[in-house]
Amino acid sequence: MFDYIAYILIFLIYGTRPILYKYIVPYIQVESIVFISGLFYFILSLFYIVFTKPTKLMRDMHIMNKNPKLYLWLLLTALLGLIATHFYLDLLKDSSAFLLTAVLSAYPLVTAAAAYLFLNEVITRKQLIGMIVIIAGVMILNLGDFDY
């Protein structure tokens, strides 16, 4: 049951973030948004870890110290997130929040291809058809409206 609630919460949170960002980008530079958001994220994460799961953090740090490549993977993940957020906010300044988000909602296609190539995950016929439907849906949404 909790999984469904978590899915719904994620769906609602990710669905409202573009609207909140759209209110912010006319007033604050993208670089400032990224920095201040990152600072808030760090502070909130620190409180969350300290007050809820400090022993798990210590265990994870121990695991990462045994396998230093995990630090590199986390750094790469953070860097890619920073770059994507920067471009997203920059595009959002002059774009429809809905259309931009619709186009970017096709990112699972990249995830599926990368998972297939690097993790040897299998893509079923049903998943492949779903990806084609996603691409077609994004193209239909943007017919004549792609003005950015």
Side-chain angles (χ1 to χ4, degrees):
M1 178 65 183
F2 174 74
D3 286 348
Y4 292 115
I5 293 170
Y7 285 132
I8 292 168
L9 284 174
I10 292 167
F11 173 76
L12 292 172
I13 290 168
Y14 278 137
T16 56
R17 283 181 69 199
I19 305 307
L20 297 172
Y21 279 136
K22 188 70 174 173
Y23 280 118
I24 298 168
V25 293
Y27 303 104
I28 302 173
Q29 295 295 314
V30 169
E31 295 80 6
S32 298
I33 295 171
V34 170
F35 177 76
I36 294 167
S37 295
L39 191 60
F40 285 155
Y41 188 77
F42 173 75
I43 292 167
L44 293 171
S45 297
L46 192 61
F47 277 112
Y48 176 73
I49 291 293
V50 168
F51 291 114
T52 62
K53 303 176 192 253
T55 56
K56 289 185 179 181
L57 175 63
M58 297 308 292
R59 186 201 66 197
D60 290 342
M61 294 299 290
H62 181 70
I63 290 169
M64 290 173 65
N65 288 336
K66 285 184 177 181
N67 188 356
K69 283 186 179 181
L70 292 174
Y71 285 107
L72 180 63
W73 290 116
L74 279 173
L75 176 64
L76 183 59
T77 301
L79 179 63
L80 292 175
L82 176 76
I83 293 167
T85 300
H86 182 278
F87 286 135
Y88 170 76
L89 292 172
D90 205 39
L91 286 169
L92 189 61
K93 286 190 291 191
D94 302 315
S95 305
S96 159
F98 168 71
L99 289 178
L100 178 62
T101 304
V103 170
L104 297 178
S105 68
Y107 78 86
L109 302 172
V110 175
T111 303
Y116 175 79
L117 292 172
F118 300 114
L119 301 175
N120 297 320
E121 290 187 10
V122 176
I123 299 174
T124 66
R125 179 182 294 181
K126 182 179 174 182
Q127 292 167 332
L128 186 60
I129 292 170
M131 287 187 278
I132 292 168
V133 169
I134 289 171
I135 293 169
V138 169
M139 290 173 64
I140 290 169
L141 281 173
N142 288 294
L143 285 175
D145 290 331
F146 212 92
D147 58 354
Y148 54 94

